[in-house]
Amino acid sequence: MKNKRILAIVGALVAIVVIAIAVSSLNGKKETSTKEKTVKIGVLQYVSHPSLDEIYKGIKDGLAEEGYKGDKVKIDFMNAEGDQSKVATMSKQLVSNNNDVLVGIATPAAQGLANATKDKPIVMGAITDPIGANLVKDLKKPGGNVTGVSDHNPAQQQLDLIKQLTPDVKTIGALYSSSEDNSKAQVEEFTKLAEKAGYTVRPYSVPSTNEIASTMSVMTAKVDAIWIPIDNTIASAFQTVVASNKESKKPIYPSATAMVEEGGLGSVVVDQHDLGVATGKMVAKILKGAKPADTAVNIFDQGKSVVNKKVAAELGITIPDKVLKEAGQVIE
């Protein structure tokens, strides 16, 4: 009887040990599984300004919506602050940091990453002209290691707003950076549409922010209004544009909400946060197995109008009620 009791106790102890080992093993597997689910995403932003900052915020929100948040994702973020040499250096660093997917916010950043690797998947964050920037071969079938989101500037809608707000304008000056491929393409499209509508467009390009003030002094004497494409160089120094226009008081039509808030009269813009969310979701799609070569570029080409009533008052312009009612945002 004693022997049977001892055997039962020993059997129970063995069972407890076996269960403990099994539980420990399962916990180990769970920990390993959790570690395996943590992904690394390298993000390179070209320069700091509200529009690009909003895109980055949207990227994080888009990833979170797809379940990539908390300890499930690690974002390796770098900002080149408009320095092309930093773009090249940081691109190589983000590649060598073993990130699973790379994201380029703005054309120069995406180009830097594309030059740094032909193997790692790259997602473009708001690139206006992906084909012209040599990032993809085709919008529906990119064909390489790059895909993403394109923010096609709603030029025709912007021209319609110019006509409604400033019907007497005949000559429009287009201010843009000569170093940004996407800006050149936008100016060409805008010029074609504007000339068809009866406007004269005078292009003024600057190689860097240092030439904005001098270029503005020449341009404002020859045009009735100023139009600015989606351009990171100009956006980062938009206060210089506004200050340089103080004497001439020409209406400025930029291509970003933040720039209208800072002194532009109005524009029709693509929502930057929405662009970022779409970019984040594209990253998630790639992480889940989609190939950039076969993933079509997501194109945003319809915008919402934004007008600045304070600037309009300073310029002596009355914003039509129809424009105010249809505006996506009115800045008081």
Side-chain angles (χ1 to χ4, degrees):
M1 200 72 174
K2 273 186 179 181
N3 289 339
K4 285 183 179 181
R5 187 175 294 172
I6 291 169
L7 286 172
I9 293 171
V10 170
L13 289 172
V14 169
I16 291 169
V17 171
V18 169
I19 291 169
I21 292 171
V23 170
S24 177
S25 176
L26 283 171
N27 287 338
K29 285 181 180 178
K30 283 181 181 177
E31 287 176 10
T32 302
S33 177
T34 301
K35 288 179 181 177
E36 288 174 352
K37 287 181 181 177
T38 300
V39 297
K40 282 188 69 179
I41 300 168
V43 179
L44 178 60
Q45 184 170 315
Y46 178 57
V47 68
S48 293
H49 67 73
S51 296
L52 296 190
D53 294 343
E54 193 63 28
I55 290 172
Y56 179 49
K57 182 179 181 297
I59 289 172
K60 292 186 287 186
D61 290 342
L63 284 166
E65 285 181 25
E66 294 298 317
Y68 293 100
K69 54 187 174 180
D71 60 0
K72 290 185 178 180
V73 63
K74 182 179 179 182
I75 297 180
D76 187 3
F77 178 79
M78 295 186 183
N79 191 323
E81 296 297 354
D83 187 329
Q84 198 61 47
S85 63
K86 285 185 180 179
V87 168
T89 303
M90 290 178 174
S91 293
K92 291 175 183 175
Q93 191 173 340
L94 286 169
V95 172
S96 65
N97 285 355
N98 294 318
N99 289 295
D100 299 299
V101 179
L102 302 171
V103 182
I105 302 177
T107 301
Q111 288 175 322
L113 292 171
N115 289 333
T117 179
K118 302 300 178 188
D119 302 315
K120 285 187 178 293
I122 298 170
V123 175
M124 306 176 293
I127 309 302
T128 306
D129 185 16
I131 295 176
N134 295 316
L135 289 165
V136 300
K137 294 177 181 178
D138 184 270
L139 296 176
K140 292 183 179 178
K141 286 278 185 180
N145 64 319
V146 182
T147 188
V149 178
S150 175
D151 56 338
H152 190 82
N153 205 19
Q156 185 59 61
Q157 289 179 283
Q158 290 173 343
L159 280 165
D160 293 341
L161 184 65
I162 290 173
K163 186 175 181 179
Q164 291 179 80
L165 292 181
T166 49
D168 294 332
V169 164
K170 291 181 173 58
T171 303
I172 302 171
L175 179 66
Y176 68 102
S177 168
S178 58
S179 62
E180 296 192 33
D181 295 330
N182 65 309
S183 298
K184 296 174 188 176
Q186 290 175 78
V187 171
E188 288 173 5
E189 180 187 16
F190 180 83
T191 300
K192 187 177 179 180
L193 291 170
E195 289 180 346
K196 189 177 179 181
Y199 294 102
T200 297
V201 178
R202 296 181 185 275
Y204 291 86
S205 64
V206 293
S208 70
T209 56
N210 296 328
E211 289 76 21
I212 289 177
S214 58
T215 300
M216 281 289 294
S217 66
V218 173
M219 177 172 61
T220 51
K222 298 180 179 180
V223 302
D224 303 318
I226 300 163
W227 174 80
I228 300 169
I230 298 170
D231 186 297
N232 302 297
T233 301
I234 305 300
S236 67
F238 188 64
Q239 282 303 313
T240 302
V241 176
V242 174
S244 301
N245 185 52
K246 198 169 184 179
E247 295 286 329
S248 58
K249 293 187 175 181
K250 297 295 168 72
I252 303 174
Y253 293 93
S255 298
T257 300
M259 295 163 77
V260 177
E261 292 173 340
E262 292 173 7
L265 172 59
S267 188
V268 178
V269 303
V270 174
D271 189 277
Q272 302 299 300
H273 184 264
D274 288 350
L275 284 168
V277 170
T279 303
K281 291 189 174 186
M282 182 77 79
V283 172
K285 191 175 181 179
I286 300 300
L287 287 168
K288 292 173 183 176
K291 303 295 182 187
D294 304 318
T295 304
V297 174
N298 189 352
I299 301 171
F300 282 65
D301 58 5
Q302 291 298 307
K304 295 178 181 178
S305 59
V306 52
V307 291
N308 191 319
K309 287 181 74 174
K310 182 181 178 182
V311 171
E314 290 173 356
L315 297 175
I317 294 171
T318 301
I319 301 175
D321 290 338
K322 184 174 184 290
V323 173
L324 290 172
K325 287 178 183 177
E326 295 177 354
Q329 183 177 349
V330 177
I331 299 162
E332 301 290 344

